[in-house]
Amino acid sequence: MQHIRKTFLDGKVIANDDITLKILKGEKHAIVGENGAGKSTLMKMLNGLYTPTSGKIFYHGEEVQIDSPSKAAELGIGMVYQHFMLVPTLTVAENMILGVEPKKGLSLDINQARQDVIDVSKKYGLAIDPDALVSDLSIGMQQRVEILKILFKGANLLVFDEPTAVLTPQEIKELYKIMDNLIAEGKTIIFISHKLQEVLDISDNITVIRRGKDIANFPTKEATKEKIANAMVGRAVLFTTERPEVEIGEVVLSVKDVSVKDHHNVIKVNNASFEIRKGEVLGIAGVEGSGQTELVEALTGLKEICSGEMILDNVILKKKTPRKISQLGLAHIPEDRHKRAAVSQFSVMENFALGLERDEYSKFGLLNFSKLRKDAEMFMEKYDVRPRSVDTEFGRLSGGNQQKIIVARELEKKNNNLIIAGQPTRGVDIGAIESIHKLILNEKVKGKAVMVVSSELSEILNLSDKIAVMCAGKITGILSREEANEEKIGILMAGGKLD
Ligand SMILES: Nc1ncnc2c1ncn2[C@@H]1O[C@H](COP(=O)(O)OP(=O)(O)OP(=O)(O)O)[C@@H](O)[C@H]1O
Ligand SMILES: [Mg+2]
């Protein structure tokens, strides 16, 4: 890709300024950069989702015009997006044939598609059930379907946009294996990542993009975390945050013997008990899918509990609506921001008002737009959301900037005294991780109770005063920060016992 420029909104947003990128056959090439640097945009041009404003693309030495994803597929380029594009109500095989339907007579040949899924998944070690409904699949499995989909269309150059951001540690290992299999089969891989260790572990070469420009390019064997971070941010970055000493106060949240079932009547949370006090951060560690999601859904009123008791500031939470619980002082940063936290078609400003529209921003039953605009502008500044325009459509922001808006809205809620943060730094860059961690720890200084659910052990260890580990719906242990370490947490995560 040579001297690629891409602007949006009549040139008002310059997503890519002048980027030159060279990818070699058979390599794994990492693209890194801050949120909003222009990584996804650059890759979407390779995949024909966007066309460059100016600049040229050469593929196997020949200049190509990639003006649609089908043109990209024809060339052998495929992309797994940051946000999956599957149809949840269809099966794996049905999703696979969207766009490349094998025809038998005039009807779709679903049997052929099923067989193809089985064949292709065998070849690359991507085990998956062709008849499973996508809505029933874990995120890791959904990603496999996306990978299969592009392999199906004959991809030789595979682009992954933050592929491990949404995966469990186990799924990540499996993905690395799949990537190795793809390379062994003669494929080439480009991947975007915010995880510097991962970049060091699996890439051959690295390109760093900062504010729409390619700032640096070096082989991975010459790279260090510090070198990458410096090139990304333009300054040195701290990799841990100082935890402030705070006096722990009275109990804010008490959870006693709580059990939760899913819609198939399967127990997802099994007799969980814990407390969180003022000024205390409780980290919930565990492989994703161990019941954390359901526990949070119960606490936030999205799901009913089948036994036990939850008490927030002396109020029993039984049969309370999410709105009521929110008014009682719960702020919630949901792990799935698209499903639970935001409306893509709304502006940034409107997203700031979600959930507060009947309280803080209501005036005589109408939205108080002037206050809302003023606050939204202030929060964008404070949380460094880019670009700084409250009228931007939320869905057009880069992934990490979307996350910052949700964090800002929830932490800035007036009456919050319990904050539940689910995967609060997923998809955000290292600079922003640093600032979100500081903000969360600052809530502790303000005497709030905080619960952090994260699949990143480093995040849990960085933030928590106490760590509860979940495995298969049970809390297998609660450790103080002093006694906790990766090894002990690992044992509890796998359901083992500490001596
Ligand atoms: N369709 C669009 N319309 C308007 N602006 C856009 C559009 N797509 C991207 N942008 C803007 O272009 C810039 C680059 O966005 P991009 O999504 O490429 O960033 P990124 O490097 O992938 O960031 P992240 O790490 O947060 O995913 C951002 O300022 C973004 O708001
Ligand atoms: Mg992106």
Side-chain angles (χ1 to χ4, degrees), residues 8 13 15 35-41 50 82 162 194 387 396 398-400:
F8 292 108
V13 176
N35 296 130
K39 306 176 296 292
S40 296
T41 303
Y50 297 152
Q82 213 164 350
E162 294 185 42
H194 286 296
R396 291 181 187 246
S398 77

Side-chain angles (χ1 to χ4, degrees), residues 34 210 225-239 384 386 429-435 438:
E34 287 183 291
R210 194 199 312 161
K225 261 192 198 176
E226 287 70 25
K227 180 170 171 182
I228 307 172
N230 252 318
M232 274 173 65
V233 188
R235 64 172 168 90
V237 176
L238 298 173
F239 288 98
D384 191 20
R386 292 180 230 165
D429 65 52
I430 42 169
I433 290 177
E434 196 184 343
S435 59
K438 277 192 190 141

Side-chain angles (χ1 to χ4, degrees), residues 22 28 91 139 206 208 212 229 309 336-337 360 451 497:
K22 199 187 212 170
K28 280 187 243 161
T91 66
I139 300 277
I206 303 169
V208 182
E309 196 174 55
D336 185 341
R337 61 180 171 250
E360 285 176 49
M451 175 169 147
K497 280 203 165 58

Side-chain angles (χ1 to χ4, degrees), residues 10 24 75 86-87 96 129 133 136 147 152 161 179 203 247 249 275 287 289 319 329 334 382 390 397 405 424-425 461:
D10 304 322
L24 306 174
L75 291 169
L86 300 169
V87 183
M96 210 64 65
D129 170 10
L133 267 187
D136 288 339
I147 299 172
F152 236 61
D161 196 345
M179 286 180 158
S203 71
E247 195 164 330
E275 285 177 348
V287 173
K319 294 218 187 295
K382 180 167 169 193
V390 296
L397 291 178
I405 288 182
T425 58
L461 290 169

Side-chain angles (χ1 to χ4, degrees), residues 318-377:
K318 203 166 168 92
K319 294 218 187 295
K320 296 262 186 294
T321 61
R323 175 167 166 73
K324 184 79 200 149
I325 296 174
S326 160
Q327 282 170 334
L328 287 172
L330 177 103
H332 179 207
I333 302 166
E335 56 176 5
D336 185 341
R337 61 180 171 250
H338 283 104
K339 210 154 63 185
R340 299 274 189 226
V343 182
S344 289
Q345 295 81 1
F346 282 12
S347 71
V348 165
M349 180 170 84
E350 288 160 338
N351 272 284
F352 267 125
L354 287 184
L356 305 173
E357 73 277 7
R358 278 181 285 183
D359 304 315
E360 285 176 49
Y361 296 114
S362 108
K363 195 170 146 188
F364 312 123
L366 295 171
L367 264 183
N368 182 350
F369 274 105
S370 59
K371 177 169 163 40
L372 177 57
R373 178 172 291 273
K374 222 177 88 222
D375 281 4
E377 278 169 355

Side-chain angles (χ1 to χ4, degrees), residues 37 42 102 112 118 133 139 148 210 254 275-276 280 291 298 311 353 378 396 424 429 490 497:
L42 183 69
Q112 183 62 47
I118 296 168
L133 267 187
I139 300 277
L148 275 180
R210 194 199 312 161
S254 157
E275 285 177 348
I276 313 179
E280 189 174 52
I311 301 168
M378 190 177 75
R396 291 181 187 246
D429 65 52
K497 280 203 165 58

